[in-house]
Structure formats: C-alpha cells, structure tokens
Amino acid sequence: MSGMENMEFIVPLEKWYLENKRDLPWRNTTDPYVIWISEVILQQTRVIQGLDYFNRFMTRFPDVASLAEAEEDEVLKYWQGLGYYSRARNLHTAARQIMDDFGGLFPKNYRDVLSLKGIGEYTAAAICSFAYRQPYAVVDGNVYRVLARLFDIDVPIDSTPGKKLFVKLASDLLDKKRPDVYNQAIMELGALQCVPRSPHCELCPLSDKCLSLISGRVEKLPVKQGKTVVKPRFFNYLCISYQGDTWIRQRKGKDIWENLYEFVLIETDKEYSFEELQHTEEYCRIFNGLGKVKVTALPLQKRHVLSHRIINAYFYSIEIESVPEGLSGYIRIPYTELENYAVSRLTHIYLEQRK
DNA sequence: AAGGCGGGGAG
DNA sequence: CTCCCAGCCTT
C-alpha cells in the first residue's frame, strides 16, 4: 500500500479505539520499562490473567536496576502460577543485559531492543512504538486475526510465507504519524471486537471494508496449520516427612518448570501403582537401606492439563524414621518454608489441599 | 520448519 | 471437549 490509502482504515479504527479502549495500568505511560514488563506478562496471556501479576511485579521491581539486582528465585516467585517461566528468567537476564551493555538505560534503537533476551519482533515493535513512537507495526495474535479477516487471507499464519505477508501488510497499514495509538487500536479491536468466535460484525467499525464478511469466511479465519499433539507424562511425587522437614529440588535442564522447585520426583513412562513404584530402581536408590517407610495418606492423583502436555501426577505422603541416603541433590527444609519457593501450579494446588 | 514451553477462560 | 491468548527460544 502506498500514499495515504491506509487512512481509510486508520480513521475509523483509531476513532473506535479512543471511544472503546479499556483503562489499563500500562497505558498512559511512555516508560519503556513499564511497557516492557507489561508486554512480556501479556505474551500468550490474557489481560485479566496478567493484571495482578503486573501490579505486584511493578511494586517489587519498579525499575531495571531493582530487577537486575534481584535473585532469579525471587523473580520466579513473583511469576509463580503465570506459566511460561522462561519469560521471568529472560526478563531477569535482560535486566542485567541492560545494566551491563546499555549503562542501565533502556535502549531506544529497535535492533538493540530486539537483542534483549526474551524480546522478539512483536515485543520490540510494541516497546518502540508505545515508548518512543517509532513506526514499527505490532503483529500479534489479534493482528493476525483482524488482518486475515479484513483482507480475507487464508495463508496460514504459522507458516513462513504467512508471517512475512502479515508483517508486510501490518507495516503498510500502520499509521506512521501515530504508531502508538494505531498499534494499540488494532490489537484492542482484535481483543474486544474481532474476537475468535462469534464476533458481532454489525458493530465493527471496519465492517464496510471487511472482505471476509462479504465472502462469509469470518469464522474460518485466520488459518493455522499447526496441530498441537498432547503427550502424557507421569510424575510420581514423594512428599517425605521427617521431624517436620521435607525434601525439595530445583528442576534443571530444558524441561517444563525449569528452575522451579518440587518434591522428590520419580517420572515413569506410564501409570505406576505405589506398589510398582516401590520396586523401581529410582525408588530403591532413594530409600537405600531404609526398610520402613510409612505412607500416611492416600495418594492424591491429579490430571494437570496443559496446552501440549497432560501431567498425570501422584502425590504420596511418606513418613520416615531416619534420613535416606539417596537424596543428594535435594535440599531439606521445614515444611512451613515451602511457601518461600516458587513452585508449579500443580504443586501449589497440592499444597493448598494438604492444609 | 517444527517442537517445547503454562495456565486459564470462552464457547 | 477445542481453541487461543499483546510470543519466544531452541533444534
């Protein structure tokens, strides 16, 4: 698109936005730090789900320096329950990157912003347009949907050609004079008006220009080709008690819940009864030499459903009479101190029920 | 290009 | 149930 053809879309879109926008705490600021935190929290996360996290996070970490100086464990604690924990770890890494490489000042150059850990094309465009009014178009899930419908495009949004096409389209359509307002507007339209299912097109400010409304394919767009395969996993947790203490460990490796804490874990390839579990190599190694362990409660079983995993979890409360030898790598803490450690939602739910 | 990464809400 | 949310990183 060239010239001012895009005014046809910009005028009604921005007008609609100014009349319908939600009042959100990260709007009405141009502080790149505030915008950065809000954008990362909102990655793959609904506004309503991230609001409280944002407020708590900003109170504890009001600026880059405070975040950079904190321990990763504490940052994770503030992220507990929100999911996609790499966001919190990357946030922490990037804060230190800003201290080390940019003198503690949030970078203004798009390439520099993009170089920060955890900031991709979307978030870089959001920060640069909202904080500095630079003309970068955001392309998030909302924008894909609005543009696919507006121009009746069935190229899959999760394909390489699709991504290129939508970035080009979004950039052409962008209001270069007010990129901040425009970017907010098109995302808000996707969030409130051009919703995935059953949009009220008769109320849409762009309905008279929407090609998919004419073709009748609104509900079929956008097209996505990827299909997520949900794989089951089996986590057997041993909640061991000894003199009021228990054992936990920080998860390591590139796996779910990296760097969060959890009880003694034996993962199996299928469902195991407690009887079968006791005969596994792992179990015997942990309780080496300890004949007597007492299971004091019925095992709590929970199906923890995620977008790409089903965690079949079994929690066994176990009382012991002497300290097992096979718990190296685990730390021994009073049960009451568990709340100080960042744990997964699954573990948190168990702890709540246990009270 | 494809897979992994969380959790929750809407229909 | 299915879909998807102000995505990014790794392989």
Side-chain angles (χ1 to χ4, degrees), chain A residues 313-355:
Chain A
Y314 309 85
F315 291 89
Y316 298 100
S317 300
I318 295 175
E319 285 193 5
I320 53 177
E321 295 178 351
S322 57
V323 178
E325 300 169 10
L327 289 175
S328 61
Y330 287 88
I331 59 173
R332 177 178 169 179
I333 62 162
Y335 246 114
T336 52
E337 281 183 21
L338 267 171
E339 60 194 70
N340 299 328
Y341 294 84
V343 299
S344 68
R345 186 85 184 104
L346 171 66
T347 302
H348 183 73
I349 290 170
Y350 167 76
L351 289 171
E352 287 300 306
Q353 291 190 0
R354 195 174 163 279
K355 285 179 180 175

Side-chain angles (χ1 to χ4, degrees), chain A residues 213-270:
Chain A
L213 189 56
I214 297 172
S215 71
R217 304 200 304 165
V218 171
E219 295 262 20
K220 311 298 275 183
L221 298 172
V223 172
K224 210 185 277 187
Q225 60 186 5
K227 54 254 171 239
T228 0
V229 183
V230 180
K231 296 178 188 167
R233 292 178 72 171
F234 300 87
F235 286 6
N236 306 277
Y237 283 116
L238 308 180
C239 309
I240 304 175
S241 301
Y242 177 69
Q243 296 181 346
D245 292 348
T246 190
W247 281 263
I248 60 173
R249 182 173 64 176
Q250 191 172 32
R251 288 182 66 85
K252 289 297 179 184
K254 298 183 196 305
D255 195 7
I256 188 172
W257 304 322
E258 182 183 342
N259 288 12
L260 269 60
Y261 289 81
E262 65 184 0
F263 289 109
V264 177
L265 171 65
I266 299 176
E267 182 172 3
T268 50
D269 57 351
K270 55 181 173 58

